[in-house]
Amino acid sequence: MDGKISSGSDFFDKMLSGGYEKGILTTIYGPAGSGKSNLCIMALASFKSEKKIVYIDTEGSFSLERLSQITADYKELLPKIIFFKPTNFEEQKELFSKLKEIVEKDIGLIIFDSVAMLYRLEIGRNKDVYNVNKELGIQLSYLSEIARKKNLPVLITNQVYSDFENKDQIKLVGGDILKYSSKCLMELQKAEQYRLAILRKHRSIADGTSVMFKIVNKGIEEIKK
């Protein structure tokens, strides 16, 4: 586990051969309500180091009530968290300047929930798509650099959309920029009675490795296939 941190779930850790890897970007993507923010809060709740945690919340998805359901030690955890809550893409850009100063301190985990929200809004209003994509690429490159140099895990969530020509095929917002930056890609699928987590890319685990689960009060619970 030295090179990994726990996901907060024994069966998720088993699927990930020990947990989320340090030194890389892990991107968890899926539709709304599939459990992305829940997994972020679980990773936060199970983080045992005394190091600080950077939590970037662009969607207002972080819930103190949810954190308190997952861990009774949430009050002790809160002073270790450095929150950023940008409300537009320009603020998201500016926080990366602040991040350069903060990461010189003792940071052990970065969570970015979600990378797509403000980027998507900016693409919708800004005709200069090239430069918006370029800025997102710069941000992800910097996160990759931090992950490598500091040997810490960076957990990112992302939204999806349906392919116009093939409605059954979903695509990542940000497309190749996210795919190339992330060494681990995990897709979440949502059904009425369950969620499905599928590894789409990993350095040491076979593509397609999956686990079925449901969201419960204490976090998540495995559903045996």
Side-chain angles (χ1 to χ4, degrees):
M1 283 287 288
D2 281 351
K4 298 184 178 181
I5 65 157
S6 175
S7 65
S9 158
D10 289 343
F11 67 89
F12 245 73
D13 285 351
K14 186 177 179 182
M15 178 182 72
L16 293 165
S17 294
Y20 299 121
E21 282 191 72
K22 295 180 182 178
I24 67 163
L25 305 191
T26 293
T27 295
I28 301 170
Y29 63 96
S34 56
K36 301 185 295 294
S37 295
N38 200 74
L39 291 179
C40 289
I41 294 172
M42 285 173 56
L44 179 73
S46 65
F47 189 67
K48 301 302 181 189
S49 169
E50 289 305 309
K51 293 183 178 182
K52 297 279 188 180
I53 302 154
V54 171
Y55 201 109
I56 304 167
D57 180 12
T58 66
E59 299 188 12
S61 298
F62 178 81
S63 165
L64 182 58
E65 183 180 357
R66 187 67 181 126
L67 180 64
S68 69
Q69 289 172 345
I70 291 170
T71 175
D73 301 326
Y74 70 99
K75 288 182 180 177
E76 288 77 16
L77 190 59
L78 286 174
K80 296 197 299 183
I81 309 170
I82 302 167
F83 281 107
F84 288 105
K85 296 187 177 183
T87 58
N88 57 54
F89 197 65
E90 187 61 32
E91 287 182 11
Q92 182 170 307
K93 182 179 175 180
E94 287 170 7
L95 81 79
F96 273 83
S97 298
K98 297 175 186 174
L99 207 55
K100 290 178 182 179
E101 300 169 17
I102 290 169
V103 294
E104 293 309 314
K105 300 173 186 176
D106 217 9
I107 301 297
L109 170 64
I110 296 175
I111 296 173
F112 195 167
D113 183 26
S114 81
V115 71
M117 178 70 176
L118 303 179
Y119 161 81
R120 209 171 192 176
L121 291 174
E122 186 69 7
I123 288 287
R125 70 167 200 86
N126 193 332
K127 293 180 181 178
D128 192 358
V129 174
Y130 172 81
N131 277 319
V132 177
N133 281 332
K134 183 180 176 183
E135 175 57 36
L136 181 63
I138 290 168
Q139 293 174 10
L140 291 169
S141 293
Y142 184 60
L143 286 175
S144 293
E145 184 184 335
I146 295 171
R148 287 195 310 272
K149 286 185 175 178
K150 301 291 183 180
N151 191 37
L152 56 82
V154 177
L155 198 58
I156 294 172
T157 69
N158 196 7
Q159 299 172 352
V160 295
Y161 65 95
S162 295
D163 186 287
F164 185 73
E165 295 179 353
N166 185 354
K167 296 294 184 184
D168 293 330
Q169 186 178 357
I170 65 157
K171 292 192 172 184
L172 277 171
V173 173
D176 290 342
I177 305 171
L178 267 296
K179 285 182 181 177
Y180 293 142
S181 300
S182 308
K183 298 297 182 188
C184 175
L185 286 170
M186 184 193 301
E187 179 187 345
L188 298 185
Q189 295 180 0
K190 177 186 174 185
E192 275 190 32
Q193 302 298 325
Y194 67 89
R195 307 288 187 272
L196 184 66
I198 310 165
L199 284 177
R200 296 300 188 192
K201 177 183 178 182
H202 197 282
R203 297 194 291 184
S204 60
I205 303 170
D207 292 357
T209 300
S210 65
V211 67
M212 198 179 293
F213 67 97
K214 62 180 177 180
I215 297 172
V216 295
N217 202 45
K218 280 287 188 181
I220 59 175
E221 189 176 283
E222 185 175 14
I223 298 174
K224 299 291 186 183
K225 296 178 184 177

